[in-house]
Amino acid sequence: MTQSITITTPDDWHLHFRDDAMLQETVPATARCFRRAIAMPNLVPPVVNTQMAMAYKERIMAARGEFTDFEPLVTLYLTNDTTADDIRSARAAGIVASKLYPAGATTNSDAAVKGIQSLYPVFEAMQKEGMLLLIHGEVTDNHIDIFDREKEFIDRHLNNIVSDFPELKVVFEHITTADAADFVLASSDNVAATITPQHLMLNRNDLLVGGVRPHNYCLPVLKRNTHQQALRKVVQSGSSKFFLGTDSAPHEKHKKESACGCAGCYSAWSAIELYAQVFEELDALDKFEGFASFHGPDFYGLPRNTGHITLKREPWRIPEVIALPTGDSIVPFMAGSQVNWRLAK
């Protein structure tokens, strides 16, 4: 039985740090094991231009603490007011990606895109400038079942986007269905996807059976077991089209355990360890480094990291609760559960 795993230092290609005092918790929790992270721009107000993005980057960097080598990769939040000039300005400043949220799809997305075709001039500029398009791929029509919204987005929008902009690099974020996995596999090398720990470890039974479990509620919502198994199969395969993106998304405990039912799983405290556990369960530890450390930077056109981390077989339990500097607290993903791997100091 393998007792330790050493891999090239990984990156997190999709997460939410939030802002202000929350950064004192979320940034070090991520930087403990990841060298870089793509920071989502759905703040209040959203990060819609280069000036706001670079200011946000400075706030993240100020919260790194001892992890001074950690590099946040900030993104632009696309709206119906985004212009090609905004894209060119952002790319010149080193911003590597912009994020498409359909309006109302997730936390703080009310200002997002209504009418995706209206953004085609922006997609054209992104294709020309070499900026990646990151997509939260769900429709938000009230009459579409929440469990079908990812597939509907593929059929209604994503097929057209990748067909109309064949040179645009697209990351289908936090995929949750066999339909999404099949779409990525069938698409060109310019289409890839991130997969979260919760969608590899859980299915909708873990959200609904025995009572609603608010700390397992995320968007896109957990799907049925057959979709979970499809995701596990593609990471087990070692396909370079899939890579690590935690979608770690903190909400205070009282906001998760309320009528609001805020969506998001805060996994930063244990994400790399939980991913290792999944790959071990799949007898695919030989594929772990590719998923965690190589496929993401290769797709983004960025250099692979040169450092390494080591995980040791040392069972431990994820905390039941994490105190925040504000006096509030967060219940982390898989709180109280035993994890078989621990990051070596």
Side-chain angles (χ1 to χ4, degrees), residues 198 201-209 211-217 222-223 228 334:
Q198 61 264 29
M201 299 184 71
L202 306 179
N203 59 63
R204 64 190 188 183
N205 282 355
D206 299 293
L207 174 64
L208 299 171
V209 171
V212 176
R213 303 178 192 182
H215 298 288
N216 288 347
Y217 174 53
L222 297 170
K223 304 302 194 296
Q228 178 194 5
M334 301 296 286

PDB file of all heavy atoms in Angstrom, residues 198 201-209 211-217 222-223 228 334:
ATOM      1  N   GLN A 198     -16.481  17.754  -4.755  1.00  0.00           N
ATOM      2  CA  GLN A 198     -17.827  17.341  -4.354  1.00  0.00           C
ATOM      3  C   GLN A 198     -18.546  16.558  -5.450  1.00  0.00           C
ATOM      4  O   GLN A 198     -19.298  15.621  -5.165  1.00  0.00           O
ATOM      5  CB  GLN A 198     -18.676  18.540  -3.911  1.00  0.00           C
ATOM      6  CG  GLN A 198     -18.929  19.626  -4.946  1.00  0.00           C
ATOM      7  CD  GLN A 198     -17.953  20.769  -4.810  1.00  0.00           C
ATOM      8  OE1 GLN A 198     -16.823  20.573  -4.357  1.00  0.00           O
ATOM      9  NE2 GLN A 198     -18.367  21.964  -5.187  1.00  0.00           N
ATOM     10  N   MET A 201     -17.164  13.021  -5.360  1.00  0.00           N
ATOM     11  CA  MET A 201     -17.389  12.259  -4.141  1.00  0.00           C
ATOM     12  C   MET A 201     -18.857  12.037  -3.802  1.00  0.00           C
ATOM     13  O   MET A 201     -19.200  11.085  -3.086  1.00  0.00           O
ATOM     14  CB  MET A 201     -16.715  12.979  -2.959  1.00  0.00           C
ATOM     15  CG  MET A 201     -15.212  13.118  -3.095  1.00  0.00           C
ATOM     16  SD  MET A 201     -14.457  13.867  -1.639  1.00  0.00           S
ATOM     17  CE  MET A 201     -14.648  12.535  -0.455  1.00  0.00           C
ATOM     18  N   LEU A 202     -19.720  12.920  -4.286  1.00  0.00           N
ATOM     19  CA  LEU A 202     -21.115  12.914  -3.858  1.00  0.00           C
ATOM     20  C   LEU A 202     -22.068  12.880  -5.051  1.00  0.00           C
ATOM     21  O   LEU A 202     -21.698  13.201  -6.173  1.00  0.00           O
ATOM     22  CB  LEU A 202     -21.420  14.170  -3.032  1.00  0.00           C
ATOM     23  CG  LEU A 202     -20.531  14.480  -1.825  1.00  0.00           C
ATOM     24  CD1 LEU A 202     -20.990  15.780  -1.167  1.00  0.00           C
ATOM     25  CD2 LEU A 202     -20.531  13.331  -0.827  1.00  0.00           C
ATOM     26  N   ASN A 203     -23.309  12.501  -4.755  1.00  0.00           N
ATOM     27  CA  ASN A 203     -24.396  12.629  -5.726  1.00  0.00           C
ATOM     28  C   ASN A 203     -25.608  13.182  -4.992  1.00  0.00           C
ATOM     29  O   ASN A 203     -25.542  13.480  -3.799  1.00  0.00           O
ATOM     30  CB  ASN A 203     -24.681  11.304  -6.428  1.00  0.00           C
ATOM     31  CG  ASN A 203     -25.054  10.204  -5.461  1.00  0.00           C
ATOM     32  OD1 ASN A 203     -26.070  10.281  -4.764  1.00  0.00           O
ATOM     33  ND2 ASN A 203     -24.225   9.155  -5.400  1.00  0.00           N
ATOM     34  N   ARG A 204     -26.721  13.313  -5.694  1.00  0.00           N
ATOM     35  CA  ARG A 204     -27.838  14.038  -5.099  1.00  0.00           C
ATOM     36  C   ARG A 204     -28.442  13.332  -3.880  1.00  0.00           C
ATOM     37  O   ARG A 204     -29.116  13.982  -3.075  1.00  0.00           O
ATOM     38  CB  ARG A 204     -28.908  14.341  -6.142  1.00  0.00           C
ATOM     39  CG  ARG A 204     -29.605  13.162  -6.754  1.00  0.00           C
ATOM     40  CD  ARG A 204     -30.452  13.626  -7.928  1.00  0.00           C
ATOM     41  NE  ARG A 204     -31.309  12.562  -8.446  1.00  0.00           N
ATOM     42  CZ  ARG A 204     -32.098  12.715  -9.506  1.00  0.00           C
ATOM     43  NH1 ARG A 204     -32.125  13.867 -10.161  1.00  0.00           N
ATOM     44  NH2 ARG A 204     -32.863  11.726  -9.921  1.00  0.00           N
ATOM     45  N   ASN A 205     -28.207  12.048  -3.730  1.00  0.00           N
ATOM     46  CA  ASN A 205     -28.624  11.383  -2.492  1.00  0.00           C
ATOM     47  C   ASN A 205     -27.950  12.019  -1.277  1.00  0.00           C
ATOM     48  O   ASN A 205     -28.532  12.108  -0.191  1.00  0.00           O
ATOM     49  CB  ASN A 205     -28.273   9.896  -2.524  1.00  0.00           C
ATOM     50  CG  ASN A 205     -29.243   9.088  -3.359  1.00  0.00           C
ATOM     51  OD1 ASN A 205     -30.238   9.607  -3.854  1.00  0.00           O
ATOM     52  ND2 ASN A 205     -28.957   7.810  -3.523  1.00  0.00           N
ATOM     53  N   ASP A 206     -26.695  12.456  -1.455  1.00  0.00           N
ATOM     54  CA  ASP A 206     -25.947  13.060  -0.354  1.00  0.00           C
ATOM     55  C   ASP A 206     -26.459  14.454  -0.011  1.00  0.00           C
ATOM     56  O   ASP A 206     -26.091  15.016   1.022  1.00  0.00           O
ATOM     57  CB  ASP A 206     -24.464  13.134  -0.711  1.00  0.00           C
ATOM     58  CG  ASP A 206     -23.867  11.762  -0.953  1.00  0.00           C
ATOM     59  OD1 ASP A 206     -23.782  10.988   0.008  1.00  0.00           O
ATOM     60  OD2 ASP A 206     -23.507  11.451  -2.111  1.00  0.00           O
ATOM     61  N   LEU A 207     -27.300  14.993  -0.860  1.00  0.00           N
ATOM     62  CA  LEU A 207     -27.921  16.291  -0.610  1.00  0.00           C
ATOM     63  C   LEU A 207     -29.312  16.147  -0.006  1.00  0.00           C
ATOM     64  O   LEU A 207     -29.705  16.950   0.842  1.00  0.00           O
ATOM     65  CB  LEU A 207     -28.000  17.086  -1.924  1.00  0.00           C
ATOM     66  CG  LEU A 207     -28.736  18.421  -1.904  1.00  0.00           C
ATOM     67  CD1 LEU A 207     -28.029  19.421  -0.993  1.00  0.00           C
ATOM     68  CD2 LEU A 207     -28.850  18.983  -3.324  1.00  0.00           C
ATOM     69  N   LEU A 208     -30.033  15.090  -0.410  1.00  0.00           N
ATOM     70  CA  LEU A 208     -31.469  15.045  -0.139  1.00  0.00           C
ATOM     71  C   LEU A 208     -31.951  13.898   0.738  1.00  0.00           C
ATOM     72  O   LEU A 208     -33.004  14.009   1.367  1.00  0.00           O
ATOM     73  CB  LEU A 208     -32.229  14.986  -1.482  1.00  0.00           C
ATOM     74  CG  LEU A 208     -32.006  16.177  -2.416  1.00  0.00           C
ATOM     75  CD1 LEU A 208     -32.608  15.900  -3.779  1.00  0.00           C
ATOM     76  CD2 LEU A 208     -32.603  17.439  -1.815  1.00  0.00           C
ATOM     77  N   VAL A 209     -31.243  12.777   0.763  1.00  0.00           N
ATOM     78  CA  VAL A 209     -31.742  11.619   1.499  1.00  0.00           C
ATOM     79  C   VAL A 209     -31.536  11.812   2.997  1.00  0.00           C
ATOM     80  O   VAL A 209     -30.437  12.167   3.448  1.00  0.00           O
ATOM     81  CB  VAL A 209     -31.053  10.323   1.018  1.00  0.00           C
ATOM     82  CG1 VAL A 209     -31.419   9.149   1.935  1.00  0.00           C
ATOM     83  CG2 VAL A 209     -31.465  10.004  -0.414  1.00  0.00           C
ATOM     84  N   GLY A 211     -33.072  14.037   4.776  1.00  0.00           N
ATOM     85  CA  GLY A 211     -33.177  15.463   5.087  1.00  0.00           C
ATOM     86  C   GLY A 211     -32.196  16.264   4.258  1.00  0.00           C
ATOM     87  O   GLY A 211     -31.136  15.772   3.867  1.00  0.00           O
ATOM     88  N   VAL A 212     -32.538  17.502   3.992  1.00  0.00           N
ATOM     89  CA  VAL A 212     -31.677  18.361   3.185  1.00  0.00           C
ATOM     90  C   VAL A 212     -30.393  18.679   3.961  1.00  0.00           C
ATOM     91  O   VAL A 212     -30.433  19.042   5.133  1.00  0.00           O
ATOM     92  CB  VAL A 212     -32.399  19.658   2.809  1.00  0.00           C
ATOM     93  CG1 VAL A 212     -31.450  20.593   2.058  1.00  0.00           C
ATOM     94  CG2 VAL A 212     -33.628  19.356   1.960  1.00  0.00           C
ATOM     95  N   ARG A 213     -29.254  18.519   3.277  1.00  0.00           N
ATOM     96  CA  ARG A 213     -27.958  18.783   3.892  1.00  0.00           C
ATOM     97  C   ARG A 213     -27.373  20.051   3.258  1.00  0.00           C
ATOM     98  O   ARG A 213     -26.761  19.998   2.190  1.00  0.00           O
ATOM     99  CB  ARG A 213     -27.033  17.586   3.685  1.00  0.00           C
ATOM    100  CG  ARG A 213     -27.635  16.295   4.246  1.00  0.00           C
ATOM    101  CD  ARG A 213     -26.746  15.109   4.011  1.00  0.00           C
ATOM    102  NE  ARG A 213     -27.437  13.856   4.298  1.00  0.00           N
ATOM    103  CZ  ARG A 213     -26.881  12.653   4.206  1.00  0.00           C
ATOM    104  NH1 ARG A 213     -25.621  12.540   3.824  1.00  0.00           N
ATOM    105  NH2 ARG A 213     -27.582  11.572   4.484  1.00  0.00           N
ATOM    106  N   PRO A 214     -27.568  21.182   3.894  1.00  0.00           N
ATOM    107  CA  PRO A 214     -27.245  22.458   3.250  1.00  0.00           C
ATOM    108  C   PRO A 214     -25.777  22.630   2.914  1.00  0.00           C
ATOM    109  O   PRO A 214     -25.437  23.357   1.974  1.00  0.00           O
ATOM    110  CB  PRO A 214     -27.710  23.496   4.273  1.00  0.00           C
ATOM    111  CG  PRO A 214     -27.725  22.777   5.584  1.00  0.00           C
ATOM    112  CD  PRO A 214     -28.112  21.374   5.252  1.00  0.00           C
ATOM    113  N   HIS A 215     -24.888  21.956   3.651  1.00  0.00           N
ATOM    114  CA  HIS A 215     -23.464  22.139   3.393  1.00  0.00           C
ATOM    115  C   HIS A 215     -22.985  21.313   2.200  1.00  0.00           C
ATOM    116  O   HIS A 215     -21.832  21.441   1.784  1.00  0.00           O
ATOM    117  CB  HIS A 215     -22.660  21.842   4.659  1.00  0.00           C
ATOM    118  CG  HIS A 215     -23.013  22.773   5.769  1.00  0.00           C
ATOM    119  ND1 HIS A 215     -22.644  24.097   5.769  1.00  0.00           N
ATOM    120  CD2 HIS A 215     -23.754  22.583   6.903  1.00  0.00           C
ATOM    121  CE1 HIS A 215     -23.129  24.681   6.852  1.00  0.00           C
ATOM    122  NE2 HIS A 215     -23.806  23.784   7.545  1.00  0.00           N
ATOM    123  N   ASN A 216     -23.857  20.479   1.645  1.00  0.00           N
ATOM    124  CA  ASN A 216     -23.567  19.779   0.382  1.00  0.00           C
ATOM    125  C   ASN A 216     -24.263  20.446  -0.798  1.00  0.00           C
ATOM    126  O   ASN A 216     -24.198  19.931  -1.919  1.00  0.00           O
ATOM    127  CB  ASN A 216     -24.008  18.316   0.457  1.00  0.00           C
ATOM    128  CG  ASN A 216     -23.119  17.488   1.356  1.00  0.00           C
ATOM    129  OD1 ASN A 216     -22.039  17.918   1.736  1.00  0.00           O
ATOM    130  ND2 ASN A 216     -23.574  16.300   1.708  1.00  0.00           N
ATOM    131  N   TYR A 217     -24.902  21.581  -0.543  1.00  0.00           N
ATOM    132  CA  TYR A 217     -25.617  22.279  -1.617  1.00  0.00           C
ATOM    133  C   TYR A 217     -24.653  23.194  -2.363  1.00  0.00           C
ATOM    134  O   TYR A 217     -24.013  24.065  -1.769  1.00  0.00           O
ATOM    135  CB  TYR A 217     -26.774  23.083  -1.044  1.00  0.00           C
ATOM    136  CG  TYR A 217     -27.469  23.944  -2.075  1.00  0.00           C
ATOM    137  CD1 TYR A 217     -27.942  23.399  -3.274  1.00  0.00           C
ATOM    138  CD2 TYR A 217     -27.640  25.308  -1.859  1.00  0.00           C
ATOM    139  CE1 TYR A 217     -28.562  24.201  -4.221  1.00  0.00           C
ATOM    140  CE2 TYR A 217     -28.267  26.109  -2.798  1.00  0.00           C
ATOM    141  CZ  TYR A 217     -28.726  25.546  -3.975  1.00  0.00           C
ATOM    142  OH  TYR A 217     -29.338  26.340  -4.919  1.00  0.00           O
ATOM    143  N   LEU A 222     -25.617  18.872  -7.188  1.00  0.00           N
ATOM    144  CA  LEU A 222     -25.217  17.476  -7.319  1.00  0.00           C
ATOM    145  C   LEU A 222     -26.246  16.714  -8.154  1.00  0.00           C
ATOM    146  O   LEU A 222     -27.450  16.918  -8.010  1.00  0.00           O
ATOM    147  CB  LEU A 222     -25.095  16.829  -5.941  1.00  0.00           C
ATOM    148  CG  LEU A 222     -24.021  17.411  -5.005  1.00  0.00           C
ATOM    149  CD1 LEU A 222     -24.198  16.836  -3.603  1.00  0.00           C
ATOM    150  CD2 LEU A 222     -22.631  17.134  -5.529  1.00  0.00           C
ATOM    151  N   LYS A 223     -25.754  15.813  -9.000  1.00  0.00           N
ATOM    152  CA  LYS A 223     -26.627  15.048  -9.886  1.00  0.00           C
ATOM    153  C   LYS A 223     -26.724  13.596  -9.421  1.00  0.00           C
ATOM    154  O   LYS A 223     -26.142  13.210  -8.409  1.00  0.00           O
ATOM    155  CB  LYS A 223     -26.094  15.115 -11.322  1.00  0.00           C
ATOM    156  CG  LYS A 223     -25.900  16.523 -11.879  1.00  0.00           C
ATOM    157  CD  LYS A 223     -27.183  17.328 -11.871  1.00  0.00           C
ATOM    158  CE  LYS A 223     -27.089  18.600 -12.728  1.00  0.00           C
ATOM    159  NZ  LYS A 223     -26.111  19.570 -12.240  1.00  0.00           N
ATOM    160  N   GLN A 228     -22.236  11.066 -11.481  1.00  0.00           N
ATOM    161  CA  GLN A 228     -21.044  11.020 -10.630  1.00  0.00           C
ATOM    162  C   GLN A 228     -20.061   9.973 -11.142  1.00  0.00           C
ATOM    163  O   GLN A 228     -18.847  10.231 -11.237  1.00  0.00           O
ATOM    164  CB  GLN A 228     -21.441  10.706  -9.186  1.00  0.00           C
ATOM    165  CG  GLN A 228     -20.249  10.584  -8.238  1.00  0.00           C
ATOM    166  CD  GLN A 228     -20.622   9.939  -6.911  1.00  0.00           C
ATOM    167  OE1 GLN A 228     -21.753   9.491  -6.716  1.00  0.00           O
ATOM    168  NE2 GLN A 228     -19.676   9.889  -5.996  1.00  0.00           N
ATOM    169  N   MET A 334     -17.286  18.290   3.805  1.00  0.00           N
ATOM    170  CA  MET A 334     -17.031  16.987   4.443  1.00  0.00           C
ATOM    171  C   MET A 334     -16.609  17.154   5.900  1.00  0.00           C
ATOM    172  O   MET A 334     -15.800  16.383   6.437  1.00  0.00           O
ATOM    173  CB  MET A 334     -15.988  16.190   3.665  1.00  0.00           C
ATOM    174  CG  MET A 334     -16.354  15.900   2.214  1.00  0.00           C
ATOM    175  SD  MET A 334     -17.811  14.853   2.041  1.00  0.00           S
ATOM    176  CE  MET A 334     -17.146  13.256   2.521  1.00  0.00           C
TER     177      MET A 334
END
